Every structure is written in structure tokens, then in C-alpha cells.
């Protein structure tokens, strides 16, 4: 689009995009193949010989995919009928129309990184779909569950904090309430460190009590707009009387990060800073650890059945929020398309209209940030509003730790200073932003 900088891409040898396509993505594919292999006997027990054949088929399709990627073959259209197949194939044609080099076909190391990385996860899904009767198998489920179990102590600490606070929340004055709001926001931010695609699918759980680390982590928040969020929601609370206040959360990773989001969502209701929370998850397994509807329900069920009394109380409360319609979970295929969010009003007008009903939208995680900003080579000082290119369904805030080479809205010199002292500042997940566009 005119006026926008180039997309990040694997063309830039040595860039994070290049290294992801070269190393991380093949590693993730290899792990998915291993996972299928390890479940061989389970498939046989469930489906007999047909299960074994399906496992072999899925593995061969994934091996073929890995080979296409590693030899930088042209990106081919999807073949298995699914709700989004036509949209994907049209997008492929659009990418092809942008090509003016080589054989004119989009390729792994040439096309925009955002596109090829999304395509890879969509092809994993296609490989599984093409292998009935194991076509509903989530190759990442095990790692998501492992992340949850390995973070047990931190989850107990958060749930205990939440439950203690809920008992006295009515007695808090404005300043105290604001401080608690800030704590839960920061917990949800640092929860985003725990994604499994950056680590190539190996465990990345939370071992310590995050609440105790917030002060030490604060200097690592490069853009901190928590005050804007407080002003917005506390004003709604004061002026709305009995009308609903709606916060939408576009979820990212399951496991520990999802716990931090649910704890924040529960606090928002308990403090009357919101009366309804809408969650958005992924329709298909995505970027290893992203939350699907199954993950969302599974996690709440696990929390509810915990032996820890505060954890199980939290799980029961969360189930009640869902039953009573205070928490609403939405699925939409748009979240697993490769489009930048500025295209949402055209590609998914129904979703855009839904988001417009929110008083505030929180976008969790790095991939959402890449899609908000189009995953482009913006200068660090370009205003966030400009990088959104007209995407503004409602006031929104990105809650993200930095894991890709795109960052906007910094102070002059801030990016350069960080780059000089810490070369990996954009990609290690050490730094974070709570970046608002009102
Ligand atoms: O779960 P998050 O925060 O969206 O992070 C996923 C990030 O990890 C990566 O897959 C690392 O390769 C990035 O492409 C992506 O932005
Ligand atoms: Mn993710």
C-alpha cells in the first residue's frame, strides 16, 4: 500500500525473520512430526489400522512441507476444502501479483514473513485435516498442557492474590484500585513471555510469583500507557450508571498467559471497571501455543478441579461468568488469516462491527502487534496511530512483549540507545509495551 514501508521478510539475511524461517520453523515442524509419531499407538487403539495409516499420511505431508520450506520452493495454493480456503488462495494470488522478480511465485525466503509464517501453520492444519480419522488432532496440545502444569505454583500465587483481593475490593479507595488495576495489567503483559513459538516449541513456563517481580520489571516497559487505560475505564465506571462497560480481549497464548488474562478479566468485573468481557481465540491450532476454544475450556476446567482452594474457587467463578454471560468467547476465522488488521473492515466486516461495540480492546502478544502494524519496517518513532493505518474499531491497547523486529511509537533516540546497548532488545521478549490508541 502506498506510503507504507516494506514488509519484514526472510530476504534480509541474518534478520530475525530470516532466522525464524531458516531455523525456528523447521524445528517446530520436526517437533510436530515427532508428536504424531509418539501418538502412533494411541491412534491405533482408537481407530485401528486406519489410524496408523492416517498418522503416516500426516507425517509425510509435514515432511513434504518442511522440504518445500528448506529448499525455498514456491508457495502453493491450499487444496483441502475448509471455510477459509478461498480467502487464503485469493491472498496467495494477491501476493503473487506483488512479485516482480524470479519466477513470479511467492516463496518462503522472499515473501513477507507474516504471510509465510501464517501459511506454515495453516499448512500444518491442512496436513492434519487431510489425514482422517485423526483430522481433529492438535499437534501442539501436549506442549500447551505442559506449559500449564509446569506453571502451577505461579498460577496458585495469582489465584490466591485475586481471591484475597476480591474479598476486600469494595473497600479500596481510587488510588488503591488503580494500583491493583496496574498490577493485573502488568501481570498480563509479562504473561506474554511464555509463548512456545519463540522457543521453538520447547517448554517456556512461569516458575516464580510474578506479582513480586513487577517493580523490577517496570523499567522494561518501553511504552507504558496504563494511565490512559485507567482514565478510560474509571470514567466509564463513573458515568455509565447501569449501562454495560465492555472490554474485549484478543487472546494470545494458552497456559500461563491465558491464566494472567483470565485473572485480569475477573478483576475487571470485581472492580466494576467492566461488566462484560468478550474473548477472541483461534479456530485452528496456531503459532504453537495460541488459545483455541478447546484450550480455553480445558484450562478453566483444570483450574476448577485443582486441589488448591483458591485456584478451584477461581475456576468455579470463571465458569460462572461464562454461564451467566458476563464472559463471552468468540471464534472467528479472520484471526488465523495472514491479513494485517487494517484489512479487517473489508475482509471480516462482521468481526470489525463486533469489536466496535467494545469500550476498550486489549490485543495480547507479539503476533497481534505484528498484524496491527502490518509487520513492516516502520521507523521506531512513527506514531502507533499511523502504523495502524486506519484500523480503529474502538480504543485499543497492545499488551505485548517484543519478539519481532517491529516497534513503533518510541521517543526519539530510544530505539537507537537500546540497539547500541542490547542487540537483541526487539526479539528476546525481555521488553514490553502497553501501547494505547484512544
Ligand atoms: O505468542 P506471541 O507473543 O504472539 O509470539 C509469537 C511470536 O513468536 C514468533 O513466532 C517467533 O518466531 C514470532 O513470529 C511471533 O510473533
Ligand atoms: Mn502466540
Amino acid at each position: 500500500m502506498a506510503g507504507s514501508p516494506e514488509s519484514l521478510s526472510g530476504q534480509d539475511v541474518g534478520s530475525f525473520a530470516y532466522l525464524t524461517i531458516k531455523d525456528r520453523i523447521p524445528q517446530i515442524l520436526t517437533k510436530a512430526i515427532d508428536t504424531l509419531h509418539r501418538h502412533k499407538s494411541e491412534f491405533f487403539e482408537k481407530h485401528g489400522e486406519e489410524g496408523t495409516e492416517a498418522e503416516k499420511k500426516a507425517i509425510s505431508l509435514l515432511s513434504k512441507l518442511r522440504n518445500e520450506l528448506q529448499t525455498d520452493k514456491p508457495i502453493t495454493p491450499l487444496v483441502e476444502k475448509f471455510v477459509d480456503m478461498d480467502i487464503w488462495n485469493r491472498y496467495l494470488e494477491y501476493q503473487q501479483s506483488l512479485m516482480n522478480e524470479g519466477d513470479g511465485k511467492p516463496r518462503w525466503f522472499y515473501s513477507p514473513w507474516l504471510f509465510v509464517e501464517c501459511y506454515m501453520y495453516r499448512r500444518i492444519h491442512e496436513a492434519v485435516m487431510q489425514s482422517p480419522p485423526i483430522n481433529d488432532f492438535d499437534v501442539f496440545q501436549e506442549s500447551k498442557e505442559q506449559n500449564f502444569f509446569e506453571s502451577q505454583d505461579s498460577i496458585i500465587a495469582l489465584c490466591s492474590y485475586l481471591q484475597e483481593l476480591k474479598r476486600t475490593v469494595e473497600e479500596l479507595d481510587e488510588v488503591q484500585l488503580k494500583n491493583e488495576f496496574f498490577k493485573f495489567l502488568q501481570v498480563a503483559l509479562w504473561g506474554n513471555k511464555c509463548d512456545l513459538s519463540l522457543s521453538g516449541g520447547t517448554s517456556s513456563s512461569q516458575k516464580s510469583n510474578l506479582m513480586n517481580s513487577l517493580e523490577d520489571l517496570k523499567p522494561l516497559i518501553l511504552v507504558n500507557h496504563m494511565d490512559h487505560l485507567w482514565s478510560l475505564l474509571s470514567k466509564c465506571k463513573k458515568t455509565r450508571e447501569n449501562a454495560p462497560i465492555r472490554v474485549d480481549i484478543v487472546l494470545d497464548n494458552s497456559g500461563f498467559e491465558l491464566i494472567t488474562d483470565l485473572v485480569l478479566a475477573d478483576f475487571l468485573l470485581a472492580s466494576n471497571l467492566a461488566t462484560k468481557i468478550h474473548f477472541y481465540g483461534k479456530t485452528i491450532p496456531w503459532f504453537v501455543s495460541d488459545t483455541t476454544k478447546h484450550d480455553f475450556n480445558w484450562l478453566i476446567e483444570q483450574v476448577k478441579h485443582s486441589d488448591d482452594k483458591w485456584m478451584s474457587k477461581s475456576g468455579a467463578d470463571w465458569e460462572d461468568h461464562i454461564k451467566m454471560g458476563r464472559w463471552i468467547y468468540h471464534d472467528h476465522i479472520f484471526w488465523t488469516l495472514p491479513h494485517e488488521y487494517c484489512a479487517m473492515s473489508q475482509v471480516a466486516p462482521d468481526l470489525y462491527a463486533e469489536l466496535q461495540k467494545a469500550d476498550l480492546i486489549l490485543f495480547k502478544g507479539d503476533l497481534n502487534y505484528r498484524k496491527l502494524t502490518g509487520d513492516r519496517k516502520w521507523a521506531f518513532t512513527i506514531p502507533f496511530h499511523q502504523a495502524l493505518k486506519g484500523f480503529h474499531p474502538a480504543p485499543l491497547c497492545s499488551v505485548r512483549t517484543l519478539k519481532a523486529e517491529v516497534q513503533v511509537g518510541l521517543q526519539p533516540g530510544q530505539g537507537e540507545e537500546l540497539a547500541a546497548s542490547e542487540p537483541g532488545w526487539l526479539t528476546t521478549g525481555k521488553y514490553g509495551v502497553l501501547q494505547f490508541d484512544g
Side-chain angles (χ1 to χ4, degrees):
M1 193 184 282
S4 305
E6 264 178 57
S7 302
L8 300 179
S9 136
Q11 281 179 62
D12 298 318
V13 177
S15 67
F16 189 67
Y18 168 82
L19 293 171
T20 298
I21 302 167
K22 185 171 129 330
D23 301 329
R24 227 177 332 268
I25 291 184
Q27 192 185 333
I28 286 167
L29 277 170
T30 304
K31 252 201 124 197
I33 292 169
D34 286 352
T35 303
L36 282 163
H37 203 65
R38 269 189 297 103
H39 283 76
K40 199 182 173 141
S41 40
E42 183 192 310
F43 297 143
F44 179 73
E45 275 157 32
K46 240 172 139 179
H47 310 286
E49 223 20 78
E50 253 189 292
T52 313
E53 287 310 309
E55 177 248 4
K56 278 192 207 147
K57 179 163 185 199
I59 289 181
S60 89
L61 289 167
L62 292 182
S63 309
K64 180 169 169 286
L65 174 62
R66 187 176 52 188
N67 182 268
E68 285 172 27
L69 186 158
Q70 288 180 319
T71 53
D72 201 19
K73 289 274 170 358
I75 290 184
T76 55
L78 299 175
V79 291
E80 182 74 15
K81 195 97 198 101
F82 191 59
V83 277
D84 61 350
M85 186 182 90
D86 293 338
I87 312 177
W88 263 100
N89 288 343
R90 272 202 302 278
Y91 192 82
L92 234 90
E93 282 169 21
Y94 161 71
Q95 282 298 334
Q96 186 152 343
S97 74
L98 301 180
M99 304 279 300
N100 47 19
E101 264 188 37
D103 59 4
K105 294 238 163 36
R107 290 193 328 272
W108 295 89
F109 284 87
Y110 185 85
S111 296
W113 173 36
L114 178 62
F115 162 51
V116 298
E117 200 174 18
C118 290
Y119 174 80
M120 199 278 297
Y121 287 98
R122 183 60 182 77
R123 278 283 301 271
I124 294 182
H125 185 62
E126 182 169 83
V128 175
M129 272 196 303
Q130 285 180 297
S131 312
I134 61 161
N135 46 340
D136 59 356
F137 186 71
D138 178 351
V139 290
F140 304 125
Q141 191 169 315
E142 245 179 19
S143 4
K144 290 185 267 195
E145 293 181 0
Q146 188 189 353
N147 172 284
F148 171 81
F149 290 122
E150 285 179 358
S151 311
Q152 283 305 290
D153 294 348
S154 320
I155 297 175
I156 292 175
L158 282 184
C159 289
S160 311
Y161 189 93
L162 172 72
Q163 293 300 335
E164 295 280 356
L165 185 77
K166 276 168 73 169
R167 292 203 304 202
T168 56
V169 71
E170 310 269 285
E171 295 148 34
L172 300 183
D173 63 29
E174 281 278 294
V175 177
Q176 289 169 321
L177 197 67
K178 179 166 126 181
N179 283 336
E180 297 302 334
F181 174 58
F182 285 2
K183 282 189 195 164
F184 285 105
L185 274 175
Q186 290 172 84
V187 164
L189 167 63
W190 298 120
N192 179 242
K193 269 190 182 178
C194 296
D195 91 87
L196 298 174
S197 68
L198 186 65
S199 58
T202 44
S203 175
S204 166
S205 53
Q206 177 67 33
K207 297 275 181 335
S208 62
N209 182 357
L210 251 183
M211 281 288 176
N212 296 336
S213 322
L214 297 181
E215 278 312 306
D216 294 338
L217 293 170
K218 223 179 206 158
L220 306 177
I221 307 179
L222 303 179
V223 180
N224 190 342
H225 290 157
M226 293 197 297
D227 276 318
H228 296 291
L229 302 186
W230 170 255
S231 303
L232 189 150
L233 292 182
S234 59
K235 188 168 160 219
C236 287
K237 182 178 168 179
K238 278 187 204 127
T239 55
R240 281 296 168 84
E241 309 251 312
N242 289 325
I245 306 170
R246 171 170 161 176
V247 174
D248 288 18
I249 305 181
V250 182
L251 295 171
D252 186 4
N253 304 304
S254 187
F256 183 71
E257 179 170 0
L258 180 56
I259 292 283
T260 65
D261 299 333
L262 299 182
V263 162
L264 168 65
D266 198 359
F267 167 78
L268 289 173
L269 293 188
S271 59
N272 295 317
L273 287 165
T275 56
K276 273 202 191 316
I277 312 284
H278 289 243
F279 298 99
Y280 301 85
K282 306 294 196 290
T283 309
I284 62 173
W286 199 242
F287 279 69
V288 188
S289 40
D290 284 16
T291 306
T292 62
K293 188 171 191 174
H294 171 88
D295 300 329
F296 186 84
N297 292 332
W298 177 87
L299 179 132
I300 293 179
E301 204 55 27
Q302 291 296 319
V303 174
K304 191 181 147 194
H305 290 112
S306 162
D307 292 337
D308 178 79
K309 71 169 180 178
W310 293 132
M311 215 171 135
S312 63
K313 169 82 170 67
S314 301
D317 289 354
W318 298 347
E319 202 176 74
D320 201 44
H321 291 329
I322 295 168
K323 272 197 196 122
M324 303 308 291
R326 292 185 290 263
W327 281 8
I328 297 148
Y329 181 94
H330 299 257
D331 252 339
H332 199 292
I333 202 71
F334 181 81
W335 304 116
T336 49
L337 291 175
H339 301 71
E340 316 174 24
Y341 289 163
C342 64
M344 186 192 287
S345 60
Q346 247 137 53
V347 180
D350 56 330
L351 177 61
Y352 196 83
E354 189 59 49
L355 291 173
Q356 281 179 311
K357 298 179 198 157
D359 291 291
L360 171 67
I361 312 167
L362 302 178
F363 283 89
K364 288 299 314 285
D366 190 69
L367 179 61
N368 273 324
Y369 195 79
R370 291 173 59 195
K371 288 186 162 188
L372 284 165
T373 58
D375 211 36
R376 292 172 182 281
K377 297 177 183 175
W378 295 105
F380 297 137
T381 49
I382 285 288
F384 186 35
H385 186 78
Q386 187 178 333
L388 288 167
K389 293 205 297 181
F391 177 71
H392 192 80
L396 61 88
C397 183
S398 160
V399 181
R400 166 243 187 178
T401 59
L402 281 61
K403 302 173 209 157
E405 286 169 327
V406 54
Q407 180 60 53
V408 299
L410 296 185
Q411 297 301 317
Q414 195 181 0
E416 289 71 13
E417 221 171 274
L418 281 157
S421 62
E422 227 176 304
W425 69 286
L426 281 163
T427 55
T428 54
K430 173 178 170 185
Y431 292 93
V433 295
L434 283 147
Q435 194 162 22
F436 179 66
D437 183 50

